[in-house]
């Protein structure tokens, strides 16, 4: 039976992820496709509220390891939902996922593999769209600097950690430098269109 595809959108802060995610959802819904968006971190659950406090209140103290495990717990909270949707043939679109989890924590100096370990066993996306700037363009965008991680030097480190996933067969780099929302939308679409009618293979797991 055909299952839904698991699609992740990743990127640094202020690269336009959420905008592109919304456009993609709208387009697919207009075409009558079954699609569901899951945003990480979802700030509404109890763990999500703690994460929101951590991200927005720079005085809120939590060790790096502890914060990391909270983000991972957030993902594990949603595995059953993701698997059920895929089984029902629904395309699941993830706005951030394991890759952000590892990149943001490893950028603080935590061991890369240690960061990945709690996420082993989670469903692995069929395709990851990584929105990226060739330069540091995201740091010049409006709103940048409001949250804990929105610091130039830190974003550069996060970028390097994200790039360690480049080379995985599900990884697609989408450069957003100087492109309009419409141009990026078209690129996103060319990558996603192959997956929207589902897949016959089992979903892979992180290992
Ligand atoms: P967003 O709402 O997509 O801008 O994400 C909020 C912030 O949370 C952003 O700076 C990236 C960070 N973030 C998202 N997921 C994770 C994660 O799993 N671990 C860590 N450490 N940070 C994350
Ligand atoms: Na952000
Ligand atoms: Na966002």
């Amino acid at each position: 039976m055909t299952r839904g595809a698991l699609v992740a959108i990743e990127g640094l802060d202020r690269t336009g992820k959420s905008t592109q995610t919304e456009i993609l959802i709208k387009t697919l819904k207009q075409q009558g496709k079954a699609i569901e968006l899951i945003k990480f971190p979802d700030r509404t659950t109890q763990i999500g509220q703690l994460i929101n406090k951590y991200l927005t209140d720079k005085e809120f103290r939590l060790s790096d390891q502890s914060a990391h495990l909270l983000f991972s717990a957030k993902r594990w909270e949603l595995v059953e939902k993701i698997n059920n949707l895929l089984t029902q043939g629904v395309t699941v679109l993830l706005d951030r996922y394991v890759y952000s989890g590892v990149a943001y924590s490893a950028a603080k100096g935590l061991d890369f593999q240690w960061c990945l370990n709690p996420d082993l066993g989670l469903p692995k996306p069929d395709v990851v769209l990584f929105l990226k700037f060739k330069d540091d363009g995201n740091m010049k965008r409006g709103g940048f600097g409001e949250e804990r991680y929105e610091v130039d030097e830190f974003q550069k480190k996060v970028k390097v950690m994200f790039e360690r996933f480049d080379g995985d067969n599900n990884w697609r780099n989408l450069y957003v430098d100087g492109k309009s929302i419409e141009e990026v939308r078209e690129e996103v679409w060319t990558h996603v269109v192959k997956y929207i009618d589902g897949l016959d293979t089992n979903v892979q797991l992180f290992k």
Side-chain angles (χ1 to χ4, degrees):
M1 229 200 66
T2 306
R3 65 164 171 92
L6 189 59
V7 179
I9 298 201
E10 284 280 10
L12 294 173
D13 292 271
R14 318 280 164 181
T15 43
K17 264 180 304 85
S18 298
T19 306
Q20 291 299 331
T21 310
E22 279 164 31
I23 295 174
L24 185 57
I25 292 279
K26 229 190 196 164
T27 311
L28 288 170
K29 284 197 171 155
Q30 277 166 0
Q31 296 188 0
K33 306 280 182 197
I35 179 147
E36 178 124 348
L37 169 68
I38 297 183
K39 174 160 169 52
F40 290 101
D42 161 359
R43 304 189 188 203
T44 58
T45 64
Q46 285 197 341
I47 297 175
Q49 283 169 22
L50 206 54
I51 288 175
N52 185 49
K53 185 160 170 58
Y54 174 72
L55 287 170
T56 55
D57 178 357
K58 290 170 188 167
E59 303 295 311
F60 182 58
R61 283 171 185 275
L62 204 58
S63 75
D64 292 343
Q65 289 85 350
S66 184
H68 180 74
L69 295 171
L70 271 184
F71 278 102
S72 179
K74 193 64 257 179
R75 288 184 282 277
W76 279 104
E77 215 175 28
L78 288 162
V79 174
E80 205 185 329
K81 181 179 175 186
I82 292 172
N83 285 332
N84 285 342
L85 287 165
L86 295 179
T87 308
Q88 290 161 27
V90 178
T91 298
V92 176
L93 181 61
L94 306 167
D95 180 352
R96 292 194 187 277
Y97 193 47
V98 171
Y99 307 96
S100 284
V102 174
Y104 281 83
S105 290
K108 298 174 187 172
L110 298 182
D111 179 70
F112 188 89
Q113 186 60 44
W114 184 91
C115 292
L116 186 56
N117 283 345
D119 283 355
L120 297 183
L122 284 171
K124 188 172 175 173
D126 298 299
V127 63
V128 183
L129 309 179
F130 181 53
L131 302 193
K132 81 189 278 196
F133 281 95
K134 289 199 181 88
D135 61 16
D136 306 323
N138 65 311
M139 298 163 210
K140 298 182 192 86
R141 289 202 170 178
F144 184 82
E146 286 165 8
E147 288 201 340
R148 178 178 288 263
Y149 293 141
E150 297 182 340
V151 176
D152 293 15
E153 282 314 306
F154 186 69
Q155 292 280 318
K156 285 180 194 161
K157 290 183 188 158
V158 177
K159 188 178 183 204
V160 171
M161 293 303 165
F162 265 126
E163 285 168 355
R164 288 181 62 166
F165 291 103
D166 190 344
D168 272 13
N169 58 12
N170 63 1
W171 196 262
R172 310 282 181 269
N173 290 308
L174 267 73
Y175 292 96
V176 301
D177 305 70
K179 289 185 186 150
S180 65
I181 290 176
E182 177 56 23
E183 285 166 320
V184 179
R185 185 198 69 78
E186 279 171 23
E187 277 194 49
V188 167
W189 186 251
T190 45
H191 287 288
V192 169
V193 71
K194 303 162 201 160
Y195 297 90
I196 52 174
D197 289 319
L199 295 161
D200 294 320
T201 53
N202 286 330
V203 70
Q204 298 203 348
L205 305 179
F206 279 95
K207 57 177 192 278

